[in-house]
């Protein structure tokens, strides 16, 4: 089959109509990482009756134990569908071994470092090639962490990224037991016996996560840990980021609390950035949770329109510039 790209082998593996929307799934084989078996599935949403109409591209990155269905259900629901109907060109990648992305040979060793250094740049390059425009990026939870790592490590950045939005994203929550080396060593010894963590058994989501991610995060939160890999300090690199940034936390999110999300936001050096907390005290109808901030009936009316406004204009404060609602710097 002829490749759909001049960058690397790409195949269109599925083309479906979902009501008023089209769902095209591409399989990318970038060949840019040490594991040559990596294949990435990327879904492109469009208007089924207006296939030639493509607006500004937006890349949506799912979190841990998840896949593309976090953003777009078979019934045509989700933030991805909402943005598509507004005219945006929506792209939804699935990380290695998630959804339609097959497990690579070294699946158990997969880390955020691999996603950030190899996968996101390849995805971004393909989207730019196909759309002819610079995409906006939105990441939820681990998707946001991966995006932060790619920006801090300078694997992604201007002119490849128009803006970056982080939902429920942080790397500063402290796990004190891991500060004691014997506890960390024991944890590593136990985890290395497994190939993956089961999302269904842990009741965290439909997908598994490679054990490499767990071992990597333990290093971040260890006694002398840092957000980075052996080559680069991603945390320090975030201070050099100058593109527009939006960070959103949820008042009811106990997994990624507001103070920790705010700390990542403060580390970003951009002059154009905004921080929003989704909670009753901030004027919203509820204290949103980690998932509910993007997947709930309330998010459809209170959060999704904010996302669309951000994508259309990164300079104007989303909540009227009130200091207790949004921090616009």
């Amino acid at each position: 089959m002829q490749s759909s790209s001049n960058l690397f082998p790409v195949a269109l593996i599925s083309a479906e109509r979902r009501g008023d929307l089209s769902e095209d799934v591409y399989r990318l084989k970038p060949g840019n990482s040490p594991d040559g078996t990596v294949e990435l599935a990327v879904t492109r949403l469009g208007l089924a009756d207006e296939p030639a109409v493509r607006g500004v591209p937006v890349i949506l990155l799912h979190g841990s134990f998840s896949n593309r269905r976090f953003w777009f259900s078979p019934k045509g629901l989700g933030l991805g569908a909402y943005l598509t109907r507004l005219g945006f060109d929506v792209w939804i990648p699935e990380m290695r071994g998630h959804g339609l992305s097959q497990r690579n040979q070294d699946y158990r060793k997969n880390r955020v470092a691999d996603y950030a250094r190899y996968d996101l740049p390849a995805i971004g390059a393909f989207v730019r090639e196909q759309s002819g425009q610079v995409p906006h990026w939105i990441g939820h939870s681990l998707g946001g962490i991966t995006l932060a790592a790619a920006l801090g490590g300078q694997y992604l950045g201007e002119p490849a990224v128009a803006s970056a939005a982080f939902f429920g994203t942080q790397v500063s929550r402290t796990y004190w037991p891991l500060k004691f080396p014997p506890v960390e060593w024991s944890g590593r010894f136990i985890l290395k016996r497994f190939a993956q963590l089961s999302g269904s058994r842990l009741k965290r989501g439909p997908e598994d996560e490679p054990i490499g991610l767990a071992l990597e995060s333990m290093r971040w939160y260890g006694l002398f840990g840092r957000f980075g890999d052996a080559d680069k300090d991603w945390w320090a690199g975030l201070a050099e980021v100058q593109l527009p940034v939006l960070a959103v936390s949820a008042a009811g999110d106990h997994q990624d609390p507001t103070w920790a999300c705010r700390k990542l936001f403060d580390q970003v050096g951009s002059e154009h950035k905004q921080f929003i907390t989704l909670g009753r005290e901030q004027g919203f109808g509820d204290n949103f949770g980690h998932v509910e901030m993007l997947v709930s009936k309330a998010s459809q009316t209170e959060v999704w329109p904010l996302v669309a406004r951000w994508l259309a204009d990164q300079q104007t404060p989303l909540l009227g510039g009130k200091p207790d609602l949004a921090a616009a710097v």
Side-chain angles (χ1 to χ4, degrees):
M1 181 180 294
Q2 184 175 2
S3 176
S4 303
S5 170
N6 293 319
L7 300 171
F8 38 71
V10 175
L12 178 64
I13 61 175
S14 175
E16 302 287 345
R17 180 172 183 138
R18 305 288 185 183
D20 60 327
L21 302 180
S22 62
E23 180 189 41
D24 297 334
V25 182
Y26 295 88
R27 184 183 64 222
L28 282 57
K29 299 183 68 175
N32 63 340
S33 69
D35 186 346
T37 67
V38 172
E39 298 182 358
L40 303 170
V42 181
T43 298
R44 187 183 197 181
L45 301 182
L47 299 173
D49 295 324
E50 300 178 73
V53 177
R54 300 284 187 179
V56 177
V58 181
I59 300 176
L60 305 178
L61 302 175
H62 65 76
S64 58
F65 302 102
S66 189
N67 53 43
R68 74 190 189 284
R69 294 308 181 196
F70 180 85
W71 304 107
F72 174 66
S73 76
K75 294 183 179 180
L77 303 175
L79 177 60
Y82 172 81
L83 294 177
T84 302
R85 294 186 177 106
L86 289 179
F88 291 98
D89 185 10
V90 176
W91 298 78
I92 309 175
E94 292 178 289
M95 294 300 98
R96 303 178 181 193
H98 292 71
L100 298 176
S101 294
Q102 298 181 1
R103 293 194 178 188
N104 52 304
Q105 181 176 324
D106 292 331
Y107 167 80
R108 72 184 312 273
K109 297 180 181 179
N110 288 341
R111 306 165 300 156
V112 165
D114 301 312
Y115 302 161
R117 176 176 292 187
Y118 305 116
D119 300 349
L120 294 199
I123 292 166
F126 177 64
V127 171
R128 294 196 307 277
E129 178 196 48
Q130 297 298 307
S131 68
Q133 300 184 68
V134 179
H136 297 271
W137 294 69
I138 299 176
H140 175 251
S141 193
L142 183 63
I145 291 175
T146 303
L147 179 57
L151 294 173
Q154 299 182 336
Y155 309 123
L156 278 180
E158 297 179 298
V161 181
S163 73
F166 304 95
F167 283 77
T169 301
Q170 61 84 27
V171 292
S172 299
R173 185 179 175 185
T174 301
Y175 299 90
W176 288 110
L178 294 178
K179 299 296 184 182
F180 297 93
V183 175
E184 182 187 359
W185 298 336
S186 298
R188 286 180 173 277
F189 177 77
I190 295 173
L191 288 175
K192 285 181 178 180
R193 299 171 58 188
F194 301 92
Q196 71 271 331
L197 297 175
S198 172
S200 59
R201 289 185 180 180
L202 295 173
K203 298 182 179 180
R204 296 290 301 277
E207 299 283 344
D208 297 337
E209 290 294 343
I211 207 65
L213 286 181
L215 295 172
E216 181 182 41
S217 63
M218 288 184 70
R219 179 176 54 76
W220 295 345
Y221 298 118
L223 182 59
F224 300 107
R226 67 173 188 179
F227 182 55
D229 60 11
D231 299 322
K232 291 189 177 182
D233 185 336
W234 306 331
W235 183 261
L238 286 173
E240 305 300 321
V241 173
Q242 291 300 317
L243 53 87
V245 166
L246 170 67
V248 181
S249 70
D253 187 349
H254 303 294
Q255 175 179 322
D256 297 299
T258 293
W259 69 265
C261 294
R262 180 71 197 224
K263 193 169 183 179
L264 184 141
F265 168 82
D266 289 339
Q267 180 64 14
V268 176
S270 175
E271 295 182 1
H272 301 287
K273 59 181 182 178
Q274 299 186 47
F275 187 89
I276 293 176
T277 299
L278 304 174
R280 294 191 185 95
E281 291 186 5
Q282 291 76 24
F284 293 91
D286 197 5
N287 289 329
F288 286 83
H290 185 67
V291 173
E292 292 77 14
M293 67 193 308
L294 288 168
V295 182
S296 65
K297 289 185 177 180
S299 69
Q300 295 179 33
T301 58
E302 296 193 80
V303 183
W304 294 2
L306 291 178
V307 176
R309 285 168 55 190
W310 163 259
L311 294 173
D313 177 9
Q314 295 85 50
Q315 307 303 318
T316 304
L318 292 175
L319 300 179
K322 297 178 182 180
D324 59 330
L325 298 182
V329 182

